C-alpha cells in the first residue's frame, strides 16, 4: 500500500483513505474481471466498491470484505450472489474472489452468446467506429 498515494488523493479530495486502500490493494483493476479502472473515462465512471459477501448475508464493510469492481460485474453479473455458497463458510478472501471470478466468467459468456445471436438477427456488422475488444 502506497501511503503517499493515499495521502495525496485525500488532500485533493479525490478519494477517502479507506477507498484508496481497497483500490491500491486491487491495483486499480476490477477484482472480478481485471478491467483497468483508470484506462478510460467510461471505466473510471463505472468504478464501484462491492461487498464480497453481500450485506444481506451478513457481509460487513471491512477492508477484508470489500472489493474494487466495475459496474458490470457488480450490478449485471454478481448482484447479491454470495460466493460462500460455492467457496464454503471457511473460505479465504482469495477463495471468495476466485468463486466470484468464475461465476462472472460464466455469466459473461452466456451474455456474449446472447449478444452474438442478437447481432446475427439484426444484421449488425462491425465497423471502425464501433470496434471494441471483447
Ligand atoms: Zn469487472
Amino acid at each position: 500500500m502506497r501511503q503517499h498515494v493515499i495521502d495525496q488523493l485525500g488532500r485533493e479530495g479525490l478519494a477517502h483513505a479507506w477507498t484508496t486502500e481497497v483500490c491500491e490493494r486491487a491495483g486499480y483493476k476490477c477484482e472480478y474481471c481485471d478491467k483497468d479502472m483508470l484506462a478510460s473515462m467510461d471505466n473510471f465512471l463505472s468504478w464501484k466498491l462491492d461487498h464480497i459477501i453481500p450485506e444481506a448475508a451478513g457481509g460487513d464493510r471491512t477492508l477484508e470484505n470489500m472489493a474494487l469492481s466495475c459496474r458490470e460485474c457488480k450490478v449485471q453479473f454478481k448482484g447479491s450472489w454470495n460466493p460462500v455458497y460455492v467457496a464454503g463458510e471457511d473460505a479465504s478472501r482469495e477463495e471468495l474472489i476466485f468463486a466470484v471470478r468464475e461465476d462472472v466468467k460464466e455469466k459473461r459468456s452466456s451474455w456474449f452468446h446472447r449478444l452474438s445471436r442478437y447481432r446475427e438477427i439484426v444484421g449488425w456488422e462491425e465497423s471502425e467506429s464501433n470496434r471494441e475488444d471483447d
Side-chain angles (χ1 to χ4, degrees):
M1 216 110 26
R2 298 174 300 171
Q3 192 60 45
H4 71 281
V5 171
I6 294 170
D7 294 344
Q8 188 67 32
L9 288 171
R11 266 196 302 276
E12 297 193 25
L14 291 168
H16 294 288
W18 189 84
T19 302
T20 306
E21 285 181 41
V22 174
C23 299
E24 276 282 304
R25 177 181 58 196
Y28 300 89
K29 289 185 176 168
C30 172
E31 294 186 68
Y32 303 146
C33 76
D34 294 329
K35 185 183 291 176
D36 185 332
M37 304 311 293
L38 300 177
S40 73
M41 183 62 139
D42 286 350
N43 290 7
F44 186 62
L45 290 171
S46 85
W47 181 314
K48 300 281 179 199
L49 293 185
D50 185 55
H51 289 75
I52 301 168
I53 297 173
E55 283 181 288
D60 48 21
R61 197 172 171 78
T62 56
L63 268 181
E64 181 73 8
N65 192 46
M66 299 306 289
L68 175 58
S69 175
C70 69
R71 183 184 298 121
E72 287 72 24
C73 285
K74 181 182 169 74
V75 177
Q76 186 71 43
F77 302 127
K78 181 175 177 282
S80 59
W81 185 72
N82 186 354
V84 165
Y85 296 140
V86 170
E89 290 288 340
D90 299 327
S92 66
R93 182 179 190 279
E94 287 67 32
E95 290 166 333
L96 292 170
I97 295 266
F98 180 78
V100 175
R101 289 175 67 92
E102 290 300 302
D103 187 64
V104 163
K105 218 181 285 176
E106 206 170 288
K107 288 172 180 162
R108 282 189 74 88
S109 170
S110 165
W111 272 96
F112 186 74
H113 288 300
R114 188 182 170 124
L115 169 64
S116 297
R117 184 66 187 133
Y118 200 100
R119 285 172 172 172
E120 252 174 59
I121 291 170
V122 304
W124 181 88
E125 286 186 31
E126 191 169 15
S127 66
E128 280 302 321
S129 63
N130 62 21
R131 182 159 296 158
E132 64 174 59
D133 301 311
D134 293 289

